[in-house]
Amino acid sequence: MENNTSVTIAALGTTISQCPWTGDVWTLNNGYKTSQKFDKLFLVHKPPGTHLNWKEIAELSETVEIVSLHPLPKTRTTMYPFEKIRKKFGTDYFSDTICYMIAYALYLDYNEIRMYGADLSEEYREEKGGVEYWVGYARGRGVRVWIAPGSTLCHTELNRPYGTDEYERIRIWKEVQGGVK
Amino acid sequence: MPPLQPKKDPSMKMTKEAADDFIKWVKRSAQEGKKCPPRVEGRDLIILAMGPSRGQCPFDAETWGLNTTYVMTEEFEEDMTKLFIVHKQVYALKSGNPYFNWEHIEEKGYELITTHRMKGVKSKLFPMKRISERFPIGFFSDTITYMIAYALYKSTKEVDGKVVYTGPYNNLRLYGVDMQEGEEYEYEKGGIEYWLGIAQGLGIGWSVGYGSTLFDTYGGVPYGQTFNKGRLDPKGLLRRTRPPTQEEIDGEHREVKHNAPWKIIRQ
């Protein structure tokens, strides 16, 4: 069945500045502080995590839908359907909150996902592969996935296809500079 | 509507006529609103790389290798049909000896697929343009991504702007694709997971060898599940003092069954 719906995933990287803040917007963690508009807030951590203000989140839950992997005290939440999603898609490979968000969009049959701020730069490189897997899975299912220019997602380290002349030149140059081991 | 009957072919390779007939049939099925047309038959493909899990490869299906896997397959007296090399000649640091023996590769009759034209080397160029047209994001982070992309290209057709599985490869089995080393492979791992994600989305199954870090998170459990628990060894690997049992290996096995939405009924 054709379901012409689009969702915007608004994460916290720098490409968030390109976000038009229209349509369905989902954000995560402290994104509620910086988003101009959002319909869902995704949380996969639980108290007493220090990087989130749980009191503020509990207050926020009165007005905004909070989708959480764990039950949160004094907070109204929609529980993330982890088991259903795992069963439906046959995997539990979630390396980052954004993976959960993409999986949830697939679960709800959205046919377009627009990603802003999902930059997965250097410090997130252990988490990048999982997000790329879900992007690939979505694309394989025919879902359009648009990633904001500037994100490292679906780009190689040197931003060129591996093995090409240009890739090799950059790699050797960086090796000489001590940048690539 | 009579079921499509492709020409019988023991290698299961679909002829061009059969593929065209099949596409017409897919379109008709879609127009008639059929939700569950039967599924395409297919066969396994082994993608063999150089990591330790290569030792688990049973060589019981068509095998594609990369770089110098041909040395291993020859030692095992096993067959390999395609060899992917996306580098030009590489020379050993200490000895200065060339890494690839082009003459030997040609003599053994492997179908060599490269991304470069090299003087004096007989090879088939990787169809980058055609593959990038079918799968628009050309995210190639290492040689294995080229191999998976090629298998997907060979196993799909574009019908009304949508890519559908048409065979022959409905199950990609990866051995030796372990990505266990930090730094370099950490950057490359995501590309393989991306292409296997596309395969899975198309209904093509995959599996990875035991010990591979593919589809493993950094903490070994789904992100967020143990954020506050501080478990460093969720799989008990540090406490293990013996080789894994078969049950443990099966429990660790990561596999997705193929579930391509179309099938040709063979009679």
Side-chain angles (χ1 to χ4, degrees):
Chain A
M1 189 185 292
E2 200 61 23
N3 182 5
N4 287 312
T5 49
S6 170
V7 63
T8 295
I9 291 179
L12 300 166
T14 50
T15 59
I16 193 64
S17 60
Q18 301 169 39
C19 185
W21 306 108
T22 53
D24 275 3
V25 179
W26 298 352
T27 189
L28 72 161
N29 296 341
N30 281 321
Y32 69 89
K33 293 179 181 173
T34 51
S35 298
Q36 291 177 23
K37 172 218 170 198
F38 64 96
D39 305 283
K40 285 182 175 60
L41 174 70
F42 282 75
L43 298 171
V44 302
H45 307 302
K46 57 184 175 181
T50 51
H51 68 311
L52 293 168
N53 185 335
W54 297 105
K55 198 178 160 209
E56 224 171 73
I57 287 168
E59 285 166 15
L60 194 69
S61 70
E62 297 300 319
T63 52
V64 174
E65 185 181 356
I66 292 179
V67 182
S68 174
L69 188 64
H70 306 284
L72 301 175
K74 296 177 188 167
T75 308
R76 194 161 18 163
T77 54
T78 301
M79 286 306 293
Y80 187 86
F82 183 78
E83 280 307 320
K84 283 182 186 169
I85 284 178
R86 181 159 75 165
K87 207 169 165 189
K88 181 171 180 180
F89 300 126
T91 182
D92 63 355
Y93 184 39
F94 300 94
S95 63
D96 185 288
T97 310
I98 298 161
C99 299
Y100 287 95
M101 296 167 84
I102 299 172
Y104 199 62
L106 296 181
Y107 179 72
L108 297 182
D109 280 334
Y110 279 90
N111 67 3
E112 187 182 56
I113 300 171
R114 299 183 69 82
M115 296 171 69
Y116 298 89
D119 299 348
L120 284 293
S121 48
E122 189 65 15
E123 68 266 39
Y124 293 105
R125 69 176 183 219
E126 292 101 357
E127 300 176 6
K128 184 171 173 269
V131 181
E132 286 162 343
Y133 162 69
W134 282 101
V135 169
Y137 189 14
R139 283 181 174 154
R141 287 171 69 95
V143 174
R144 287 187 298 276
V145 182
W146 185 89
I147 300 165
S151 165
T152 66
L153 278 181
C154 301
H155 285 282
T156 60
E157 182 201 359
L158 304 180
N159 212 9
R160 299 287 187 280
Y162 178 82
T164 55
D165 284 343
E166 224 175 351
Y167 184 96
E168 291 301 318
R169 272 201 300 275
I170 299 171
R171 191 186 64 77
I172 291 164
W173 182 79
K174 287 204 169 186
E175 206 167 82
V176 171
Q177 304 289 315
V180 175
K181 283 166 194 159
Chain B
M1 182 186 305
L4 185 74
Q5 294 176 30
K7 288 171 189 170
K8 287 196 174 177
D9 180 350
S11 72
M12 305 273 292
K13 192 172 180 179
M14 201 184 278
T15 60
K16 190 180 178 305
E17 296 79 41
D20 291 343
D21 285 350
F22 171 64
I23 286 170
K24 281 179 201 162
W25 180 76
V26 167
K27 285 182 179 174
R28 277 204 305 271
S29 300
Q31 280 165 6
E32 289 168 12
K34 285 186 181 173
K35 281 187 178 174
C36 298
R39 185 169 296 151
V40 179
E41 289 180 7
R43 62 169 190 258
D44 286 10
L45 173 70
I46 290 175
I47 290 178
L48 184 64
M50 308 291 286
S53 73
R54 70 183 190 272
Q56 298 163 30
C57 180
F59 295 98
D60 57 352
E62 184 183 343
T63 303
W64 294 356
L66 77 162
N67 296 343
T68 54
T69 44
Y70 62 89
V71 176
M72 182 182 76
T73 50
E74 282 167 23
E75 276 176 15
F76 288 176
E77 295 179 356
E78 297 288 355
D79 259 350
M80 192 175 66
T81 53
K82 287 185 175 51
L83 180 67
F84 287 72
I85 298 178
V86 303
H87 309 286
K88 293 178 182 172
Q89 186 58 275
V90 178
Y91 297 92
L93 275 177
K94 283 184 184 168
S95 63
N97 289 334
Y99 200 53
F100 305 121
N101 187 339
W102 305 120
E103 283 161 17
H104 179 82
I105 290 167
E106 191 179 334
E107 196 182 294
K108 284 284 177 181
Y110 302 122
E111 188 182 351
L112 178 64
I113 296 176
T114 61
T115 48
H116 305 88
R117 278 214 189 285
M118 286 170 281
K119 209 175 173 184
V121 178
K122 202 172 153 191
S123 71
K124 190 174 170 183
L125 265 192
F126 181 81
M128 180 72 102
K129 192 166 175 254
R130 276 177 282 151
I131 286 181
S132 298
E133 278 165 8
R134 190 166 304 167
F135 304 104
I137 302 291
F139 178 29
F140 298 101
S141 62
D142 74 354
T143 310
I144 297 143
T145 56
Y146 286 96
M147 297 166 82
I148 300 170
Y150 196 74
L152 298 187
Y153 175 71
K154 287 280 175 194
S155 301
T156 54
K157 297 263 177 221
E158 206 165 329
V159 181
D160 291 342
K162 285 190 175 177
V163 179
V164 293
Y165 170 74
T166 53
Y169 306 116
N170 69 357
N171 193 23
L172 310 178
R173 289 157 54 196
L174 277 62
Y175 296 95
V177 187
D178 300 341
M179 317 312 278
Q180 284 177 344
E181 203 184 322
E183 283 292 323
E184 183 186 354
Y185 292 148
E186 212 164 65
Y187 286 113
E188 299 177 2
K189 182 174 173 271
I192 301 171
E193 290 164 341
Y194 172 76
W195 283 102
L196 287 178
I198 292 182
Q200 191 175 341
L202 289 165
I204 296 170
W206 52 257
S207 65
V208 296
Y210 174 70
S212 169
T213 64
L214 285 180
F215 301 98
D216 256 351
T217 58
Y218 191 61
V221 290
Y223 182 79
Q225 298 257 340
T226 54
F227 186 73
N228 295 321
K229 289 182 184 169
R231 281 168 57 189
L232 292 173
D233 185 24
K235 292 181 181 174
L237 295 175
L238 299 175
R239 296 188 298 276
R240 191 179 279 165
T241 54
R242 52 172 173 71
T245 61
Q246 192 57 46
E247 273 180 3
E248 283 166 341
I249 290 173
D250 292 344
E252 289 286 307
H253 188 61
R254 288 178 294 284
E255 180 179 16
V256 169
K257 300 277 184 208
H258 68 87
N259 182 31
W262 313 100
K263 180 183 185 180
I264 296 170
I265 298 170
R266 284 173 183 269
Q267 290 181 344

